[in-house]
Amino acid sequence: MTVTIADVLDLPVLRRGVPEVTAGADLLDRPIRWVHAAEVPNIASLLKGGELLLTTGLGLGAGVQEQRATAAALAARGVAGLVLELGATFAAPPAALATACARNELPLIVLHRPVPFVEVTETIHAEIVNNQFALMQRGEELHRRFTDLMLRGAGVPEVLDALAEATGNPVLLRRGDDVIAHAAHGRSRRDLLAALDGHARGLPSAPAALERPVPSGDPERPSGALVLLALDRELDGFAEVALERAVALVGLALIQDRAEETLAHRERGALLGELLRGGVGESEAAARAAAFGFRSETLLPLAVGRRARRVGRLTEDEDARWVQIWRELRRELEHRRTPALLGGVEDQALLVVGLRRGETRAEAAERAARLVRAETERQLGSAGGAVICVGREVTSWSELGAAMEQALEALPAASEVPDRPWHDAAAPDVDRLFASLRGEPALHEFVGARLDAVLAHDRRRAAKLLPTLESYCEHGGQKAATARALGLERPSLYHRIARLETLLGSSLADPDTLLGVHLALRARRTLGDAPR
């Protein structure tokens, strides 16, 4: 609620002066912060902006240049408008002044009859103060409503709904480029996102918007921003007050949500940690898990970590995204009513899920892994950023610790091998074995002794033999299947095999030779660019 030039022109005290707008008739909706009456030269230097200036013209200057300079200075200062009383200095509106005001977009109102300026200022000041007081009262009422909502257990969605209702416009809570909550006020999400995009890009067709950062406790890193879009109603002073009141409570709600999540995450992590160390009994573990809403007769542990990076370190932004992955994963599990416990922070986490009735271990592992990879892809842009190792299923809490340890121990090696939806930590795995032996010179010597001659050949020749050797081993030494896989005629394949046997110094028909070469190829793939 603001007082505009149009509002004051309707006041009886000014109507008695027979006001006439001689410049800026399209700017009468400009708000007035205060009113001043002055007759001194260079009055602009004494003003702050937003004032309605009353004058009889003594300080405006008698010459054309002075009047132009005064109009320009007042406009530059942000003065809302100029009211000139005719009679004492000017019998008619100075043409140069009117032209200069129009050029500088400064509304000029002339009064054809004298009015007491003190009465004008008192009346307008009272109007401004009354409006400000009414605005404060509405703001306080809205703040009480927000507070009552919070005390009744409401969260961010309810506060946004109340803000949208009070202002008559939709509101969005964004974090970076993501909209994490919104109150649509009858609009579709598509319309809101299009309007937000236009606002962010500064498009001329975009609706007006108010945006305020949401406090997080750290001035350098706000929790996001609250955006009020003028899609249904113009934004006024009350909209600004309402938004200011809302951002504080939204920030508080987000901090509270994070605190509750952190405490719950720590409690779940503490339980899993104690189970891992064998420090909690069966009945106590079952009771504590039930307090978290976990009830299932069959338990399946998963260890989840980041895929190893050969070069560079994780950035602070990546760390934050992994924290968000764990948070959103827990929410998604709760939303799906999946019995689950998630503990751990940053680099890795332990996830225990309950098997559904009739569900196999592989089905439960696939279901949980799919959720992890979906959230990883959403946050990082790649589902391959997470490594998932699944331990054996157990039917008691006392057995869970060993099963979780099995999954955790498989995690470092699994992060080094080619990506899979999930790794079975309960089953022997050749790739994980090789990854665990990555630093052993004997393994590199074994790979070199088996494959160096073939690799040296391929570096010198355009016709490579290594792909033929890999396909031959993958097909278990079956020549017909290998020929089909490579799209070769059998004589061509036989020729390549003969050449490979010459380089290897041994027959590939020998089972030990074939096994040794196959293991060397698997180890080389796992080792990647590791030095020898």
Side-chain angles (χ1 to χ4, degrees):
M1 296 174 64
T2 56
V3 176
T4 66
I5 297 176
D7 293 331
V8 301
L9 290 179
D10 280 337
L11 294 175
V13 68
L14 271 182
R15 286 207 302 269
R16 289 201 299 270
V18 189
E20 177 189 0
V21 180
T22 58
D26 57 335
L27 302 173
L28 300 184
D29 60 347
R30 185 173 288 178
I32 297 171
R33 184 183 61 82
W34 207 239
V35 183
H36 278 294
E39 305 294 350
V40 298
N42 301 320
I43 182 60
S45 62
L46 304 178
L47 302 177
K48 295 181 178 180
E51 298 92 347
L52 183 67
L53 180 61
L54 309 178
T55 180
T56 62
L58 288 175
L60 299 180
V64 170
Q65 295 301 325
E66 292 176 285
Q67 293 172 11
R68 289 175 177 171
T70 298
L74 291 173
R77 201 66 172 177
V79 170
L82 177 62
V83 177
L84 172 62
E85 184 184 85
L86 301 179
T89 307
F90 299 102
L97 179 64
T99 301
C101 286
R103 183 183 299 116
N104 289 280
E105 296 186 339
L106 177 67
L108 175 62
I109 298 100
V110 297
L111 301 178
H112 291 276
R113 291 182 179 177
V115 294
F117 278 1
V118 65
E119 187 178 343
V120 173
T121 57
E122 286 178 351
T123 302
I124 297 177
H125 285 169
E127 193 76 14
I128 292 173
V129 170
N130 289 339
N131 275 275
Q132 289 176 341
F133 181 70
L135 189 61
M136 289 175 61
Q137 280 189 315
R138 289 184 66 191
E140 287 299 319
E141 290 171 3
L142 185 60
H143 188 267
R144 283 195 294 271
R145 182 180 176 190
F146 288 157
T147 305
D148 288 342
L149 285 171
M150 298 285 290
L151 292 175
R152 291 200 299 268
V156 171
E158 290 78 10
V159 173
L160 297 189
D161 285 339
L163 177 61
E165 180 185 346
T167 60
N169 280 306
V171 59
L172 305 98
L173 174 60
R174 65 172 183 83
R175 184 177 292 145
D177 294 330
D178 296 330
V179 174
I180 60 177
H182 71 277
H185 197 254
R187 297 278 183 158
S188 70
R189 181 179 175 86
R190 181 178 180 180
D191 288 343
L192 298 188
L193 294 180
L196 181 64
D197 179 64
H199 163 65
R201 294 164 57 192
L203 299 180
S205 59
L210 289 174
E211 182 170 346
R212 297 290 185 273
V214 177
S216 66
D218 181 356
E220 300 298 323
R221 302 184 67 177
S223 294
L226 211 56
V227 184
L228 192 60
L229 296 170
L231 289 178
D232 300 313
R233 186 185 297 178
E234 290 186 6
L235 300 174
D236 54 14
F238 175 68
E240 295 187 32
V241 171
L243 188 61
E244 293 290 351
R245 299 299 175 94
V247 292
L249 287 176
V250 168
L252 183 62
L254 291 176
I255 292 172
Q256 181 179 348
D257 286 347
R258 284 196 297 273
E260 291 175 353
E261 284 182 5
T262 300
L263 289 174
H265 194 62
R266 287 176 180 172
E267 287 295 313
R268 291 176 175 87
L271 173 58
L272 295 178
E274 291 178 45
L275 287 167
L276 196 61
R277 295 187 296 271
V280 59
E282 179 73 24
S283 59
E284 181 187 350
R288 288 170 64 180
F292 293 129
F294 188 103
R295 293 176 179 84
S296 180
E297 295 179 356
T298 308
L299 314 172
L300 184 65
L302 295 84
V304 185
R306 301 171 176 175
R307 175 154 300 283
R309 287 169 46 131
R310 302 286 172 81
V311 180
R313 299 180 61 186
L314 288 162
T315 65
E316 183 178 344
D317 179 63
E318 287 174 306
D319 278 330
R321 288 182 180 273
W322 275 99
V323 172
Q324 185 69 14
I325 286 172
W326 307 140
R327 181 180 296 126
E328 294 300 330
L329 178 60
R330 184 181 65 80
R331 289 178 178 171
E332 184 64 22
L333 289 165
E334 289 180 354
H335 175 71
R336 292 172 180 258
R337 300 186 182 277
T338 299
L341 294 176
L342 176 63
V345 293
E346 296 186 357
D347 284 352
Q348 62 185 30
L350 275 169
L351 173 62
V352 178
V353 297
L355 268 67
R356 296 168 177 167
R357 188 179 299 277
E359 187 177 41
T360 67
R361 172 177 177 269
E363 289 170 342
E366 183 65 32
R367 171 169 54 88
R370 193 161 49 242
L371 289 177
V372 173
R373 291 172 70 85
E375 189 57 39
T376 305
E377 184 170 13
R378 196 174 78 85
Q379 294 290 337
L380 301 179
S382 169
V387 181
I388 305 163
C389 289
V390 181
R392 68 180 185 277
E393 61 183 285
V394 297
T395 55
S396 70
W397 292 98
S398 57
E399 298 176 284
L400 183 61
M404 289 192 298
E405 186 173 7
Q406 180 185 56
L408 283 170
E409 288 178 346
L411 200 56
S415 70
E416 298 280 356
V417 304
D419 185 35
R420 300 178 194 171
W422 57 279
H423 299 260
D424 191 345
D429 186 271
V430 173
D431 288 335
R432 291 206 309 271
L433 173 63
F434 288 148
S436 67
L437 298 173
R438 184 180 180 82
E440 295 293 331
L443 180 60
H444 296 280
E445 292 171 4
F446 172 77
V447 173
R450 292 286 183 174
L451 301 178
D452 272 355
V454 178
L455 296 174
H457 169 277
D458 284 4
R459 283 194 294 268
R460 297 191 306 268
R461 305 291 181 87
K464 311 300 182 184
L465 290 175
L466 188 65
T468 299
L469 184 60
E470 289 174 331
S471 181
Y472 188 71
C473 290
E474 288 170 3
H475 289 91
Q478 297 181 21
K479 295 176 181 178
T482 303
R484 284 195 300 271
L486 295 174
L488 295 174
E489 298 292 336
R490 287 200 182 189
S492 297
L493 176 64
Y494 296 157
H495 174 74
R496 293 188 186 186
I497 290 175
R499 182 61 182 145
L500 282 167
E501 290 176 335
T502 299
L503 292 170
L504 294 171
S506 183
S507 172
L508 287 171
D510 176 56
D512 287 341
T513 299
L514 186 63
L515 175 62
V517 170
H518 196 186
L519 289 174
L521 288 169
R522 293 281 294 272
R524 180 176 179 270
R525 184 179 63 183
T526 300
L527 297 175
D529 297 328
R532 296 185 177 178

